[in-house]
Amino acid sequence: MNEITYALNSENKLVYINDVPNGENCNCSCPKCHAKLVAKNNGKIRVHHFAHASNSECVGAYQTMIHLLAKEIIATCGIVPFAQNSIIKLIRVAEIHLEKQFEDMIPDVIGILPITLNNTNQIIGAIPIFVEIYVTHKVDDEKAQKIKKLGIPTVEINLSNSQALSKEELPKDMSNPKNWKIINDKLNSKYLPKIRYNTAELLAAYRALMAGSSSYGRQSNNYNRHYRYRRRRSSSSKRR
């Protein structure tokens, strides 16, 4: 069993073992069972780690730590794997939501990718992107079918074999394409921006434009006729 190097502080936020006081003064709890922990960060032989104050073992504490840490890393950097046409690439999104209800699902991570009008900064829509973190429970067939029915691009990051003990180590596993699995790479069209035009306004503007063009045409024709008439009169005067 790997050592717990991150725990929850009094504000329920992850803190690193070397950033808290040694012993029970760390005021931390287990990310899995929420029992009181003791910080052991004063030694030089063993890896600095947290231990349960009761000396009991908590199965799954490390895995829960990895799961929480991975979500925090994504929330901090704002970068998620995005699946499209059987290809996964890392992209930066505008918003990150963790464990938030989306219709009848609660994905681990929801990224919001804004869509802008061509060559402008005008935002005309946003695409939701799901990320699932697999440490102990991978996306089963039932959940995969729900995601596909929703039509949201989703990638699962497999961290079940990670041995990371810090925020510096875990991103290497998270960004490794070998640990990525496409759950869905098709986007439901209802999430695409729909630019609706007012047909009546467009028709009125078109008629006004055409009326202006016709008026210009009539003025031009009148000018041309007048110009030709003046030239004929001038030529006649010269012949006399």
Side-chain angles (χ1 to χ4, degrees), residues 6-221:
Y6 285 84
L8 297 175
N9 64 10
S10 58
E11 298 177 353
N12 208 37
K13 295 181 179 179
L14 286 175
V15 288
Y16 186 52
I17 181 63
N18 289 340
D19 294 332
V20 298
N22 187 47
E24 294 185 3
N25 291 331
C26 66
N27 195 25
C28 293
S29 60
C30 174
K32 172 71 175 179
C33 69
H34 300 286
K36 186 176 181 179
L37 296 179
V38 176
K40 297 188 176 183
N41 56 15
N42 200 30
K44 297 182 180 179
I45 299 177
R46 289 188 62 181
V47 172
H48 291 185
H49 65 283
F50 290 99
H52 284 71
S54 61
N55 292 322
S56 62
E57 288 193 9
C58 179
V59 178
Y62 172 79
Q63 287 76 13
T64 301
M65 180 194 83
I66 289 294
H67 194 266
L68 293 174
L69 195 58
K71 290 187 292 185
E72 184 176 289
I73 289 171
I74 291 176
T76 301
C77 69
I79 297 175
V80 299
F82 175 58
Q84 188 178 37
N85 300 324
S86 301
I87 297 174
I88 304 175
K89 58 183 178 181
L90 293 174
I91 63 170
R92 187 177 297 278
V93 294
E95 297 178 30
I96 292 288
H97 302 280
L98 304 179
E99 304 284 353
K100 185 177 180 180
Q101 181 84 31
F102 191 100
E103 297 195 17
D104 64 341
M105 294 187 61
I106 303 180
D108 286 331
V109 179
I110 301 175
I112 304 298
L113 178 66
I115 303 174
T116 56
L117 201 60
N118 289 342
N119 300 319
T120 72
N121 292 323
Q122 181 184 353
I123 298 177
I124 57 176
I127 295 176
I129 300 170
F130 287 175
V131 180
E132 293 291 340
I133 310 297
Y134 165 32
V135 183
T136 55
H137 301 289
K138 61 182 178 181
V139 175
D140 57 25
D141 292 339
E142 182 181 354
K143 190 172 185 178
Q145 288 305 316
K146 282 186 177 181
I147 291 172
K148 290 177 181 178
K149 187 176 180 180
L150 276 176
I152 296 178
T154 305
V155 172
E156 179 184 75
I157 302 177
N158 184 354
L159 299 176
S160 61
N161 296 317
S162 178
Q163 302 293 315
L165 293 174
S166 70
K167 284 185 178 180
E168 289 71 36
E169 296 176 9
L170 191 56
K172 297 176 184 177
D173 295 330
M174 295 173 64
S175 60
N176 186 345
K178 293 181 180 179
N179 294 330
W180 296 344
K181 178 183 177 181
I182 294 177
I183 303 300
N184 181 52
D185 63 349
K186 301 296 187 295
L187 177 67
N188 191 319
S189 59
K190 73 179 182 179
Y191 298 115
L192 290 173
K194 296 176 178 60
I195 306 175
R196 296 181 176 86
Y197 296 99
N198 187 316
T199 307
E201 288 183 4
L202 283 178
L203 186 59
Y206 173 74
R207 285 173 176 167
L209 179 64
M210 293 306 294
S213 297
S214 299
S215 175
Y216 174 77
R218 287 194 297 271
Q219 292 174 7
S220 298
N221 290 335

